[in-house]
Amino acid sequence: MNNVKKVLGVRINDISQSDALIQVEKWLQEKSLKPRLIFTPGPEFLVSAQKDREFKEILNNADLSLPDGIGLHIFGRIKNRVPGVDFMLALCKLSVKNGWTIGLLGGQIGVAKETGKRLKEKFPDIKIEIAADGRAADRIIEHYDVLRHFDILFV
């Protein structure tokens, strides 16, 4: 994918939200079994990556790393800005259009379920297969194969 820049040693795809959505749609239409990893790092991710090599490596191995946060735009000389929440909502809208299934994992107790409830209010036809947080999310993550039952998984 073009327009890759490095900010403090972390790879960022300097692309627009619409280009990112096109790429995700392409990946999902391929019906590949390969899971794709997408991050929306802001400045706090880059600061953490300076202290944590493993985290930096994980970020740099993402399939797509979209610039979230105005700090990347200003100080990292990144042209585009793709806030994670906006990208999530756009993916949810696209999932309704294409009939994709969604999973929600993680967060404090009640957060994933509340997120699912609010997404259902905004997108009544969204297919949320699971909304699990806290210890339930941990148990699901331990059984990685179960994660392949979703087209999109938000963690």
Side-chain angles (χ1 to χ4, degrees), residues 16-80:
S16 68
Q17 177 171 292
S18 59
D19 287 341
L21 290 169
I22 289 167
Q23 181 61 60
V24 171
E25 191 167 25
K26 179 181 166 190
W27 286 335
L28 285 166
Q29 288 171 347
E30 288 174 358
K31 300 290 185 193
S32 169
L33 294 178
K34 179 187 181 216
R36 300 290 182 157
L37 188 59
I38 301 171
F39 290 112
T40 56
E44 68 283 358
F45 278 52
L46 276 63
V47 169
S48 293
Q50 301 313 297
K51 301 172 189 170
D52 185 337
R53 274 193 199 278
E54 184 178 9
F55 183 54
K56 186 183 235 178
E57 186 177 323
I58 290 168
L59 289 174
N60 281 328
N61 286 315
D63 295 286
L64 196 55
S65 187
L66 302 172
D68 187 352
I70 195 71
L72 290 177
H73 180 70
I74 295 171
F75 299 109
R77 299 183 185 186
I78 300 291
K79 182 177 102 178
N80 293 283

Side-chain angles (χ1 to χ4, degrees), residues 69-127:
I70 195 71
L72 290 177
H73 180 70
I74 295 171
F75 299 109
R77 299 183 185 186
I78 300 291
K79 182 177 102 178
N80 293 283
R81 183 169 175 253
V82 184
V85 172
D86 294 348
F87 189 64
M88 178 185 186
L89 292 173
L91 277 175
C92 288
K93 183 177 180 181
L94 197 57
S95 75
V96 170
K97 175 186 161 200
N98 289 292
W100 299 331
T101 57
I102 301 286
L104 303 168
L105 284 184
Q108 296 177 345
I109 302 294
V111 171
K113 290 184 193 304
E114 182 65 22
T115 300
K117 177 182 164 192
R118 291 189 184 200
L119 287 173
K120 275 288 212 185
E121 289 169 0
K122 188 164 185 68
F123 307 104
D125 294 328
I126 196 168
K127 296 178 183 176

Side-chain angles (χ1 to χ4, degrees), residues 102-152:
I102 301 286
L104 303 168
L105 284 184
Q108 296 177 345
I109 302 294
V111 171
K113 290 184 193 304
E114 182 65 22
T115 300
K117 177 182 164 192
R118 291 189 184 200
L119 287 173
K120 275 288 212 185
E121 289 169 0
K122 188 164 185 68
F123 307 104
D125 294 328
I126 196 168
K127 296 178 183 176
I128 298 174
E129 296 293 320
I130 193 168
D133 42 39
R135 289 192 179 131
D138 291 342
R139 285 191 299 271
I140 290 167
I141 290 170
E142 286 174 12
H143 303 285
Y144 184 77
D145 283 346
V146 77
L147 301 181
R148 295 186 184 269
H149 295 281
F150 314 104
D151 294 306
I152 299 173

